[in-house]
Amino acid sequence: KSGLDPGGAWHAWGMACLKAGNLNSAREKFNRCLKPPMDLNQLNHGSRLVQDVIQYLESTVKPVLIADDDYFATLRELEATVRTRSLSLEMMCEGKIQHNSYYQECLFYLHSYGTNLAIISFYMRHDCMREALLHLLNKESPSEVFIEGIFIPSYESGKLHMLENLLETIDPGLESWGVYLIAACKYLQKKNYYHILYELQQFMKDHVRAAMTCIRFFTHGAKSYTELGGKQTWLLKIKDHLKVYLQEVSRSSGRKKMAFTFRKKMSATDVSRHINTVDLQMEVTKFLHQCESSGTSQMTDSSLPTLFGNNNMKMDVACKVILEGKNIEEGFGIAFRVLQDFQLEATEVYSKVAKQLVKQQKYSEIRQLLKCVNESGVAAKNDGDNIILNCLNEFKNIPAEDLDNLIQDMDSDENKIQAYMMCNKLRSAYLVSVRQEKARAVQLVQHVRQLAESSGDDVVKTICAQWL
């Protein structure tokens, strides 16, 4: 008469029937007010009304009935059990769910009105992980349902190994679980749960991704190469994962197709390159660890460069190795291999090192650096000269004697003249200029005269004028 929604009344009536133990009558009442969800894969446990019913049924569960005790079950319970058994459930959980009509009643309501997440969570609450997994597969639920309903509860309750065993039992190749496992890895990475992630990747036999996680364990949080020295076991693990991956690739290359669809793939050439990087990083780590221990370490950069970063970081590693040895020569060999292996811009690295040496006022070591560069066998003709010119661009206050020594070490007269002009040593620039071939000499001396005029150096200006 008043036009109110009768749903609340039916629900209250149904709950009263449940409490009175009249399960059939309760079903009939709830049928008038409960509706199945629009989307079975939504990430919730269905309507509040359904949750209330399940909560009540779970809280009033009688002790588990052993087979022999079935005689004591009431006729009503037996009747309800028979009815729920006839439901087209995909599987039946061993143990208490199978033997208890209240649990069967829960399953009836969940399958009729609940979401997949609600059903899976119910199985998980009652230690029926296998049933939860089979339900997930049968309904082809999205990975969010797996994460929320199965994966999080498993690792939070310390049952990750049990989950892994069941995944393998249901599908030894893990292919049906691929989407879910990748989603679990992404979830763990987002949460920064790298230890669980690493364990899961090993279970998945996803060796490339496991190696990437090991790189993170090696580099993360380290403030010095002494710390990295203590984490070298991670480098060995990276190599192990990559080698196992190479073996698997070569083993399966004879077969028609590689079965690993969800595991990360990488070409054999790339894997070999990464193994080479790890070997080189081990060498760098040992060398810099030794330098830090013996106190020869000079640089105090806030970030710690490794060969696992981008090219700029690799260049920083090369600089660090050259600068931190007892002398330039000691670390040059390793740095040179870093430059060669990653095809880095060598002149840029050498110039960076030279500038650092000027800051540290180690002028003789710049000459040693140039000697190493020239002896490396791959330096271009003007590399050494360019290194010095780059230094002079930034530092005008190098002591006169050291400056002369550096400029005299240059190969090309043109570069020497340019260097003298940059440092305002116009007389020296003039002396080298006049030694050049006549036409070029005239151009150079004219340039020197202009500079002398603008800087007010009358002596050099007069000399240039007389020569010209």
Side-chain angles (χ1 to χ4, degrees):
K1 282 180 181 177
S2 57
L4 294 172
D5 176 23
W10 284 118
H11 186 262
W13 197 351
M15 288 301 286
C17 292
L18 269 192
K19 287 170 185 173
N22 191 345
L23 303 181
N24 294 336
S25 191
R27 285 188 184 193
E28 190 191 318
K29 307 297 179 282
F30 285 130
N31 189 37
R32 295 172 181 269
C33 63
L34 298 178
K35 290 182 180 66
M38 298 287 282
D39 174 14
L40 288 173
N41 286 320
Q42 59 196 43
L43 284 183
N44 59 41
H45 290 256
S47 72
R48 183 70 254 172
L49 302 180
V50 177
Q51 290 179 53
D52 288 345
V53 172
I54 302 303
Q55 211 173 337
Y56 174 76
L57 285 168
E58 282 184 303
S59 66
T60 53
V61 163
K62 309 282 189 340
V64 178
L65 295 168
I66 314 301
D68 295 346
D69 295 338
D70 276 353
Y71 302 115
F72 304 110
T74 63
L75 284 171
R76 193 178 288 131
E77 278 183 319
L78 286 173
E79 189 189 337
T81 306
V82 170
R83 192 175 291 101
T84 50
R85 284 271 171 87
S86 67
L87 282 173
S88 59
L89 300 181
E90 297 89 343
M91 70 302 287
M92 190 56 77
C93 183
E94 291 303 315
K96 57 186 177 183
I97 286 188
Q98 201 170 10
H99 286 297
N100 195 294
S101 61
Y102 276 83
Y103 279 126
Q104 294 304 318
E105 208 61 19
C106 286
L107 285 173
F108 167 79
Y109 286 107
L110 286 167
H111 280 276
S112 306
Y113 311 108
T115 59
N116 285 326
L117 180 59
I119 296 167
I120 284 167
S121 300
F122 174 79
Y123 282 131
M124 290 296 286
R125 278 199 302 280
H126 299 291
D127 296 327
C128 296
M129 195 186 281
R130 180 187 167 80
E131 284 67 26
L133 287 168
L134 290 173
H135 183 85
L136 180 88
L137 268 192
N138 292 345
K139 298 294 180 189
E140 295 179 354
S141 292
S143 47
E144 292 81 4
V145 174
F146 170 72
I147 302 286
E148 199 71 33
I150 299 175
F151 187 69
I152 295 175
S154 294
Y155 78 71
E156 282 183 349
S157 59
K159 291 179 180 169
L160 193 57
H161 283 301
M162 189 198 288
L163 172 63
E164 290 172 351
N165 290 338
L166 278 170
L167 293 174
E168 217 163 18
T169 309
I170 295 167
D171 177 3
L174 300 178
E175 286 304 315
S176 12
W177 306 114
V179 176
Y180 300 118
L181 288 168
I182 294 296
C185 288
K186 283 179 183 167
Y187 167 82
L188 292 170
Q189 195 166 0
K190 197 172 160 192
K191 287 279 189 182
N192 287 335
Y193 295 162
Y194 283 94
H195 288 281
I196 304 176
L197 172 65
Y198 182 51
E199 190 186 322
L200 190 62
Q201 285 167 339
Q202 288 180 93
F203 160 72
M204 290 159 66
K205 297 184 174 59
D206 195 347
H207 294 292
V208 176
R209 287 194 181 96
M212 289 156 78
T213 306
C214 290
I215 291 174
R216 202 233 177 226
F217 283 131
F218 174 71
T219 54
H220 186 68
K223 296 279 186 287
S224 69
Y225 261 89
T226 307
E227 275 181 56
L228 287 185
K231 295 166 96 176
Q232 287 190 78
T233 45
W234 288 113
L235 293 177
L236 295 170
K237 284 184 179 176
I238 297 168
K239 273 182 79 171
D240 289 344
H241 284 300
L242 294 176
K243 282 177 178 172
V244 171
Y245 178 78
L246 271 184
Q247 285 166 5
E248 285 181 358
V249 171
S250 61
R251 230 181 282 138
S252 60
S253 60
R255 300 177 208 148
K256 277 176 284 183
K257 185 172 172 280
M258 235 176 128
F260 312 141
T261 49
F262 65 90
R263 298 173 180 96
K264 190 168 177 66
K265 292 185 183 64
M266 197 178 269
S267 71
T269 334
D270 282 348
V271 175
S272 304
R273 205 163 37 78
H274 286 305
I275 291 174
N276 190 42
T277 301
V278 174
D279 285 333
L280 202 47
Q281 181 62 54
M282 285 176 100
E283 223 173 307
V284 167
T285 307
K286 279 175 193 161
F287 178 75
L288 291 175
H289 181 196
Q290 213 174 334
C291 294
E292 285 179 5
S293 308
S294 61
T296 56
S297 177
Q298 296 286 339
M299 295 170 83
T300 51
D301 285 343
S302 50
S303 65
L304 196 63
T306 69
L307 298 177
F308 300 119
N310 57 21
N311 277 359
N312 285 339
M313 195 186 260
K314 290 178 180 116
M315 286 161 89
D316 288 345
V317 170
C319 290
K320 198 171 172 66
V321 169
I322 295 175
L323 286 164
E324 296 212 357
K326 289 198 283 287
N327 52 47
I328 294 298
E329 230 168 320
E330 193 185 21
F332 188 84
I334 298 175
F336 183 71
R337 273 178 44 220
V338 170
L339 297 174
Q340 290 291 293
D341 281 11
F342 299 107
Q343 298 176 337
L344 302 173
E345 195 51 64
T347 317
E348 200 180 319
V349 171
Y350 299 144
S351 296
K352 227 174 165 184
V353 171
K355 285 171 189 173
Q356 199 68 30
L357 291 170
V358 173
K359 275 185 190 169
Q360 296 169 10
Q361 299 182 345
K362 295 181 174 177
Y363 305 108
S364 61
E365 295 209 7
I366 296 177
R367 299 178 77 184
Q368 197 183 5
L369 172 69
L370 296 173
K371 181 171 167 278
C372 288
V373 171
N374 290 329
E375 287 172 359
S376 69
V378 293
K381 190 173 176 240
N382 279 334
D383 276 1
D385 291 6
N386 289 335
I387 292 165
I388 295 171
L389 287 171
N390 283 336
C391 273
L392 300 180
N393 246 332
E394 257 180 68
F395 305 100
K396 309 289 185 225
N397 54 350
I398 299 173
E401 193 185 335
D402 293 304
L403 188 59
D404 279 338
N405 288 338
L406 284 174
I407 295 175
Q408 278 160 26
D409 279 348
M410 292 173 117
D411 290 325
S412 140
D413 280 350
E414 290 274 346
N415 288 333
K416 282 181 186 174
I417 295 163
Q418 193 186 335
Y420 281 131
M421 286 177 182
M422 279 164 73
C423 302
N424 217 25
K425 286 181 165 289
L426 299 179
R427 187 185 174 83
S428 304
Y430 163 77
L431 291 171
V432 183
S433 297
V434 296
R435 294 207 304 263
Q436 306 311 302
E437 182 231 328
K438 203 56 167 241
R440 182 67 183 137
V442 171
Q443 288 176 336
L444 291 166
V445 173
Q446 280 174 338
H447 190 197
V448 174
R449 185 177 68 170
Q450 282 168 1
L451 288 173
E453 202 170 333
S454 57
S455 65
D457 190 336
D458 294 335
V459 179
V460 174
K461 182 184 158 190
T462 310
I463 297 171
C464 290
Q466 284 172 354
W467 187 87
L468 287 166

